[in-house]
Amino acid sequence: MAFSLYLILTLILAALVPAEHTSNWAVLVSTSRFWFNYRHLANVLSLYRTVKRLGIPDSQIILMLPDDMACNPRNAFPGTVYNNADRALDLYGDNIEVDYRGYEVTVENFIRLMTDRVGEDMPRSKRLLTDDRSNILVYMTGHGGNEFLKFQDAEEISAFDLADAFEQMWEKKRYHELLFMIDTCQANTMYSKFYSPNIIATGSSEIDQSSYSHHADNDVGVAVIDRYTYYNLEFLETQVRDPSSKLTLGDLFDSYDEAKIHSHPGIRYDLFQGGEKTARERLVMDFFGNVQNVEVENGVERNDTKLQEELDHLSRLIEAAKQRHNETQVAYSAGIDSTEANVQPKSAKKFEGAAKIQQDDGWSKQLVGLSALLGITTIWAAGSWLES
């Protein structure tokens, strides 16, 4: 009976636990203050708009902006932020949720956010509520150097700090897979110290190389976007048109053109389980979009016949286990009655009263009830999933 119950529980858990990640999150960080760093804010807001377009909700995006360029007195177009000189798209708009603003954007707050070392009074909107089935996109931009990134010209985060923070995340089961992107001078040195599993990292420039802006808006008066981010966005906006896209990270990385970016973008695969081949096969939507409830195979939606068959099979296993248990109990009870009949003295008197409940019998019935309850719960959960 114990083996049968163990088998049932194993099958139930196998049916409920997904094979892949179940949620996507994005942490988008600009680390620069002051008007002349307008492009860093535009970098982040551009990625913010893209991941929202592809399905990640604001509740699963952490946006960190050190300065509000939209309300800066120097802004000739108050309340707006643009990433192109034609000013066709206002990145700020009316539908933006900033989670950390101004002097809240610090190294300490960033590390606390990633490792979930925050106070109990921290609102849920400012927490990274991930688990071991969450894929996370971490994008950072600002001014940096060899193995450091400046935060608001006041402090720095080092490559070692980032590596240790990600290791704490892995140990605390806070991510399934992580894509780290950084656009800054000597960006590739910032992921050189990583040592945690399941991380894909990419940066805009090698050691001793700068990261360059793409173009300026003469009316705004400053550069409005960086080259590395611009060409990432070009791919995402022109190639990844909807959440059903099957383009991979390999396609994205192959689109990098050093002649256009004016530096040497780097990519690190060695920490990812399966190495370069597996990492390149990951879909862009595995990090830049939301998890989809419907899988599409050969252009046709997959029906739910297979899942229903598995649930029916599980129900039959539960019924068979219950039947075997009942048969065992009948045989056991018959053996006990026969034994008691043989040893009972002829002079023994029968007393009317409450029947004695065998402890083993009660425990066995509880196990049967538990297995039946788990089976019903599984079928109900699957039904809810099918309806959704």
Side-chain angles (χ1 to χ4, degrees):
M1 177 59 195
F3 176 79
S4 299
L5 181 60
Y6 175 79
L7 177 61
I8 293 171
L9 291 174
T10 302
L11 290 171
I12 291 173
L13 292 175
L16 292 178
V17 175
E20 294 295 336
H21 69 287
T22 57
S23 65
N24 284 6
W25 290 71
V27 179
L28 311 177
V29 186
S30 171
T31 64
S32 299
R33 291 185 70 81
F34 310 121
W35 175 251
F36 54 83
N37 293 318
Y38 182 105
R39 68 187 184 279
H40 294 155
L41 184 82
N43 289 345
V44 166
L45 290 179
S46 299
L47 260 295
Y48 172 74
R49 177 188 175 277
T50 295
V51 297
K52 285 186 66 175
R53 176 179 66 83
L54 294 176
I56 302 182
D58 267 316
S59 59
Q60 292 170 212
I61 301 174
I62 302 296
L63 186 59
M64 306 183 78
L65 303 180
D67 205 347
D68 191 352
M69 307 303 181
C71 299
N72 192 294
R74 298 184 183 184
N75 193 346
F77 307 95
T80 64
V81 174
Y82 299 105
N83 64 357
N84 202 303
D86 62 10
R87 294 188 292 279
L89 178 64
D90 177 14
L91 299 172
Y92 209 77
D94 299 323
N95 188 23
I96 180 174
E97 293 185 14
V98 182
D99 301 291
Y100 292 80
R101 189 190 298 273
Y103 290 108
E104 289 184 319
V105 182
T106 64
V107 173
E108 178 182 353
N109 283 345
F110 173 75
I111 293 178
R112 287 185 178 277
L113 167 73
M114 302 303 291
T115 59
D116 200 33
R117 297 181 181 275
V118 297
E120 296 180 355
D121 58 342
M122 180 68 72
R124 291 175 61 87
S125 62
K126 301 178 73 167
R127 294 181 60 186
L128 188 66
L129 301 174
T130 56
D131 55 31
D132 60 350
R133 285 300 173 186
S134 301
N135 277 12
I136 306 176
L137 165 67
V138 179
Y139 173 86
M140 306 183 76
T141 183
H143 290 291
N146 187 3
E147 298 181 0
F148 73 87
L149 175 65
K150 293 196 294 184
F151 268 65
Q152 308 207 45
D153 283 345
E155 56 181 345
E156 300 171 353
I157 187 171
S158 73
F160 296 93
D161 296 329
L162 274 178
D164 292 341
F166 290 158
E167 175 61 18
Q168 288 185 49
M169 293 178 69
W170 176 255
E171 291 176 354
K172 297 172 71 173
K173 301 184 185 300
R174 288 182 53 74
Y175 73 87
H176 178 239
E177 295 171 352
L178 190 149
L179 174 61
F180 177 77
M181 302 184 73
I182 183 166
D183 191 350
T184 183
C185 297
Q186 307 188 63
N188 302 349
T189 63
M190 287 301 294
Y191 56 74
S192 62
K193 305 303 178 184
F194 290 178
Y195 56 96
S196 305
N198 283 8
I199 296 179
I200 305 171
T202 178
S204 60
S205 52
E206 294 181 344
I207 189 171
D208 296 330
Q209 285 187 337
S210 297
S211 178
Y212 296 96
S213 62
H214 187 267
H215 67 279
D217 181 339
N218 292 331
D219 292 324
V220 174
V222 291
V224 293
I225 195 168
D226 282 316
R227 286 183 170 272
Y228 174 75
T229 299
Y230 179 90
Y231 288 108
N232 272 289
L233 288 168
E234 184 178 66
F235 178 89
L236 294 170
E237 292 297 316
T238 60
Q239 304 297 321
V240 188
R241 297 184 178 275
D242 56 71
S244 63
S245 172
K246 297 301 181 183
L247 291 176
T248 66
L249 291 182
D251 296 324
L252 172 62
F253 298 151
D254 288 342
S255 72
Y256 293 169
D257 186 342
E258 296 177 3
K260 294 180 178 179
I261 297 175
H262 292 181
S263 58
H264 298 280
I267 306 158
R268 185 174 178 186
Y269 299 111
D270 61 293
L271 297 172
F272 200 79
Q273 185 176 4
E276 178 177 349
K277 182 178 183 298
T278 303
R280 289 177 55 85
E281 290 174 350
R282 283 292 182 267
L283 298 180
V284 170
M285 288 299 300
D286 284 344
F287 295 96
F288 290 89
N290 203 11
V291 178
Q292 301 300 303
N293 293 325
V294 178
E295 292 185 9
V296 178
E297 297 178 357
N298 298 325
V300 180
E301 289 188 5
R302 185 188 67 180
N303 60 38
D304 301 307
T305 303
K306 184 176 180 181
L307 176 60
Q308 189 61 47
E309 291 176 352
E310 292 174 352
L311 291 174
D312 292 341
H313 179 64
L314 180 60
S315 298
R316 289 195 295 271
L317 287 176
I318 293 175
E319 289 299 326
K322 288 170 62 178
Q323 184 176 356
R324 287 195 300 271
H325 169 74
N326 292 335
E327 292 174 354
T328 302
Q329 287 300 310
V330 169
Y332 176 76
S333 299
I336 292 295
D337 292 342
S338 175
T339 302
E340 290 182 349
N342 292 333
V343 301
Q344 183 178 10
K346 293 182 179 180
S347 60
K349 296 182 179 180
K350 294 180 65 178
F351 293 92
E352 300 274 338
K356 181 179 179 182
I357 299 178
Q358 296 291 337
Q359 183 177 3
D360 293 340
D361 183 55
W363 173 245
S364 299
K365 289 181 178 179
Q366 292 180 20
L367 291 178
V368 174
L370 175 61
S371 62
L373 179 61
L374 288 172
I376 294 172
T377 302
T378 304
I379 296 173
W380 174 83
S384 300
W385 181 83
L386 293 175
E387 290 179 0
S388 64

